Amino acid sequence: MPEGAAAGSTVTEQPGGLRSNTLGSWEVFAQGLAAAAPSVAVASVPFALYTAAGKGAAWAAIIGLVIAVLLATTISFQARRTVSSGSLGTYTGNGLGPAFAFVGGFSLLIGYVGFSVTGTLGGVLYVDSFLLELGIGSEASWFRLLLVFLVVGLAVYLPIRGASLAAKYELVFEVIALISIAVIIVAAYVSYGWHFDTEQWSLSNLGHSSTFVAAVTAVGAYAGFESVASLGAEARDAHRSISKALLRVVLIIGVLYIIATYPQVLHFDGINGDKAILPQLADSSGVGWVKPVTSAAVAVAFIVFVTAVTSSAARSLFTFAHEGALPRVFAKVHSKYHTPWVGVAFVGAAALVFSIVATFSSAGRTVFDVYGAYVTNWGFLVSYLLVVIATPIWLYKIKALTPFRAIVSGLAVVALGYVIVNNLYPVPEFPFNILPFVYLAILAAGVAWYVYLRVTRPEIAARIGTIQTLSAEEQERLADADIAEELQADDFKSDERQADEFPADEPETSSSVTPK
C-alpha cells in the first residue's frame, strides 16, 4: 500500500491508459455544457413546454430548474469526495451496491447512446436545412446518407483525438450557437414591445397540472449535465472541478431556458409546429436574415452534442470493461491519444446504423428522433433516481450525512419520483404508452447479463462500481474517524486481488482509494 493512503483503505489502480490531469476546470465545464446542449434545447424545448402547458411554460421551466439544481447538488455531495470515469453508476453503487451500480450505469449508458443516435439525426436535419437555405441541398437518398456519414465522422473523430481537444471545440461551438440564437431571442423581446406579459407569470398557472406535466420535458432538457462526472480519471483537481461544474452547468442553462422560453411563448400562437421553430421565430421577429446563420450554428451544436455524449458513453463502456463487466476490448485506449477509442467507435457505429434506418424509414427522420429521445430520457430519469437514493445512504455509511444533505437528497427523490409518475399516469397516447417498455426491454437485457455474471463470475459482479478516487481530505477524514477500518471486511477489495483477477491491458498511471 502506498504511503499516505488512509488506514484500512484499499488502493486500486486507475483505469489503465486514460491520460490523467489533462482537463482543466473550464474543459470539464465545457463537457457538461456541450452534453446538456443548451443551444439545442433552446431551439426545441420552449415549444414543447408551450404545447403541454400553454402560458404556464415559463413556470414549467422554473420548476425544471429547481429539480435539476436539487439533482446536481445531491451528485456534488459525492463528487466532492470521490470521482470516477464510471460516473453515476459508481455513485449509485456506493450506496446501493454493485447490482444497482450496474443498473444505474447501464441505464445511463442507454441514455448516452440514445442521445448519440438522436443527436446525429438532429445534426443531419439541421445541416440539411442550412444547405437548403443556401440552395444547394437535395432530397436524394445518397445526399442524405452523405450527411449522415459526415455528422457521424465528425462526432467520432473529436472524442478519439482526446477529451481535451473535444472540450475546447465544444465550448467554442456552443457559444457561437448561443450568440446566434440570442439575436432571435432579443428580437422577440423587442418586437413584442416593452410591456410585461403578466399572464405567463400568473400564480394561477402553478395550480394547473399541465404545468407540472410540462416540467417533465424541462427536466429532460438538462440530461447530459452529469457527464462531467465521467471525467474523474482525466480532470485536474477533479473533486473540486467536477462538483463545481455540475452546479455551474445547471444554473447557466437553467437561466438560458427561462430567458428563452418567455419571449418565444409570446410568438407561439402563429408558429407551425411541423417546421423548425427558430427560423419561424426569426421571421416573426423581423430578423429573417439570421436564419442561415442560426441553422448552421444549431447544426454545429448538434454535432458538438453528439461528440460530448459519445465521449461520456465511451468512458462508461471503458469503466464497465475495466471492471470486467463488459468485453475487455472496450478497455483499450488509443496508443497516441490515450482515449477509449473502441467505445467511441462502437457508439458511432450505433448512431450510424440507426440514422441510416431512419433515413430510409417511411416514418421519417424527425419521428425517429422524437421516439428515440423519449426512450433515451427514461435512461437518464432512472439513473438520476437511483443516484439520489444512493447518495444519502452512502453519506450515512461514511458518517458524512448532515440534515441539509438529507433534506436536499430527499427533495430530489420526491421531485424525480413525481417526474417519473407523470410519464406513466395519466397513460399517454400511442406510441408513447409503449416506449417506456422499449427502455425496460433494453435494460432487462443488461440486467440479464449482470445476473449471468453474478452466477458465473461473482468476483466480477462484485467489482462493478468500485473504481474511483477519494480526495485526500476524505481519505484523512475516514482515517481519523476509523471508518475505513470499520468498513474494511465487507466493503473493500484488496489491490492485490484486483490486480490478479483483472490485469490491465495498458500500464497504470495513478492510484486511487476505492470506498466500497
Side-chain angles (χ1 to χ4, degrees):
M1 181 180 300
E3 293 184 15
S9 64
T10 297
V11 178
T12 62
E13 299 299 328
Q14 270 289 30
L18 289 182
R19 182 173 288 165
S20 61
N21 297 319
T22 59
L23 301 180
S25 59
W26 279 106
E27 291 167 329
V28 172
F29 167 76
Q31 164 70 14
L33 186 68
S39 60
V40 172
V42 166
S44 57
V45 170
F47 187 74
L49 299 181
Y50 178 77
T51 300
K55 290 286 188 174
W59 278 115
I62 292 177
I63 294 170
L65 173 59
V66 171
I67 295 175
V69 168
L70 289 172
L71 176 60
T73 303
T74 301
I75 296 173
S76 72
F77 293 155
Q78 291 209 51
R80 291 191 186 100
R81 291 169 171 78
T82 183
V83 293
S84 169
S85 59
S87 187
L88 301 193
T90 300
Y91 290 168
T92 297
N94 284 342
L96 299 177
F100 283 100
F102 182 89
V103 173
F106 192 81
S107 186
L108 195 64
L109 182 60
I110 293 173
Y112 287 144
V113 174
F115 267 1
S116 295
V117 172
T118 58
T120 297
L121 289 175
V124 169
L125 289 170
Y126 268 90
V127 169
D128 200 6
S129 174
F130 169 67
L131 295 178
L132 286 174
E133 289 281 351
L134 299 181
I136 57 176
S138 173
E139 296 296 325
S141 295
W142 68 266
F143 185 78
R144 292 186 173 188
L145 283 177
L146 180 62
L147 295 182
V148 168
F149 280 98
L150 173 65
V151 173
V152 172
L154 288 173
V156 168
Y157 171 75
L158 282 174
I160 286 181
R161 278 294 308 272
S164 178
L165 175 65
K168 292 175 183 177
Y169 279 106
E170 286 159 8
L171 185 58
V172 171
F173 290 151
E174 190 65 28
V175 169
I176 292 174
L178 289 173
I179 290 174
S180 172
I181 294 172
V183 173
I184 299 176
I185 298 302
V186 171
Y189 275 106
V190 174
S191 63
Y192 180 73
W194 298 106
H195 54 279
F196 193 68
D197 183 14
T198 57
E199 187 178 356
Q200 281 199 63
W201 299 110
S202 171
L203 293 178
S204 63
N205 289 319
L206 290 175
H208 296 160
S209 61
S210 60
T211 299
F212 291 91
V213 171
V216 173
T217 299
V219 173
Y222 292 89
F225 80 93
E226 77 299 319
S227 65
V228 299
S230 69
L231 300 175
E234 298 155 278
R236 294 192 295 270
D237 195 13
H239 302 90
R240 290 185 177 85
S241 61
I242 289 176
S243 61
K244 289 180 179 179
L246 287 167
L247 289 173
R248 283 174 180 169
V249 170
V250 165
L251 290 173
I252 288 176
I253 62 180
V255 171
L256 286 174
Y257 291 159
I258 294 170
I259 292 175
T261 297
Y262 171 76
Q264 290 193 56
V265 170
L266 299 176
H267 295 265
F268 276 161
D269 286 339
I271 290 292
N272 183 345
D274 291 329
K275 297 181 179 180
I277 302 302
L278 288 178
Q280 296 180 74
L281 188 59
D283 285 332
S284 64
S285 301
V287 289
W289 55 268
V290 81
K291 288 192 296 182
V293 178
T294 302
S295 295
V298 174
V300 171
F302 267 110
I303 294 173
V304 167
F305 169 60
V306 176
T307 296
V309 293
T310 297
S311 294
S312 297
R315 279 156 179 77
S316 294
L317 289 167
F318 178 91
T319 301
F320 272 137
H322 192 75
E323 293 171 338
L326 288 178
R328 292 288 294 175
V329 66
F330 289 114
K332 291 185 178 295
V333 296
H334 196 281
S335 59
K336 180 179 180 181
Y337 303 121
H338 299 274
T339 53
W341 70 271
V342 175
V344 173
F346 173 81
V347 176
L352 180 65
V353 170
F354 279 99
S355 297
I356 291 175
V357 171
T359 299
F360 289 101
S361 170
S362 59
R365 295 173 294 178
T366 302
V367 173
F368 261 70
D369 193 45
V370 172
Y371 293 167
Y374 190 81
V375 173
T376 295
N377 195 47
W378 273 98
F380 286 102
L381 287 177
V382 170
S383 183
Y384 291 164
L385 181 64
L386 289 176
V387 78
V388 296
I389 292 173
T391 296
I393 296 174
W394 185 65
L395 293 176
Y396 176 80
K397 189 176 183 181
I398 63 172
K399 298 181 181 180
L401 184 62
T402 64
F404 171 74
R405 292 166 187 160
I407 291 172
V408 171
S409 300
L411 290 174
V413 171
V414 172
L416 284 168
Y418 183 82
V419 167
I420 290 175
V421 169
N422 273 283
N423 270 272
L424 298 173
Y425 183 83
V427 178
E429 298 181 357
F430 179 87
F432 294 98
N433 60 331
I434 66 170
L435 290 179
F437 296 100
V438 174
Y439 158 76
L440 286 176
I442 300 172
L443 181 63
V447 172
W449 174 251
Y450 175 80
V451 172
Y452 170 78
L453 288 177
R454 187 83 177 260
V455 173
T456 61
R457 299 292 302 277
E459 72 282 1
I460 291 179
R463 191 182 189 226
I464 294 173
T466 64
I467 299 177
Q468 54 190 303
T469 304
L470 280 177
S471 67
E473 293 84 356
E474 190 64 16
Q475 292 181 46
E476 293 176 3
R477 191 188 70 82
L478 289 174
D480 292 341
D482 291 328
I483 299 174
E485 289 191 12
E486 179 182 331
L487 299 178
Q488 173 73 28
D490 297 325
D491 298 320
F492 289 84
K493 288 176 65 70
S494 72
D495 52 330
E496 291 85 1
R497 285 172 54 197
Q498 290 190 15
D500 290 341
E501 294 169 4
F502 310 100
D505 290 336
E506 301 288 342
E508 309 297 351
T509 58
S510 63
S511 64
S512 62
V513 176
T514 303
K516 292 304 300 170

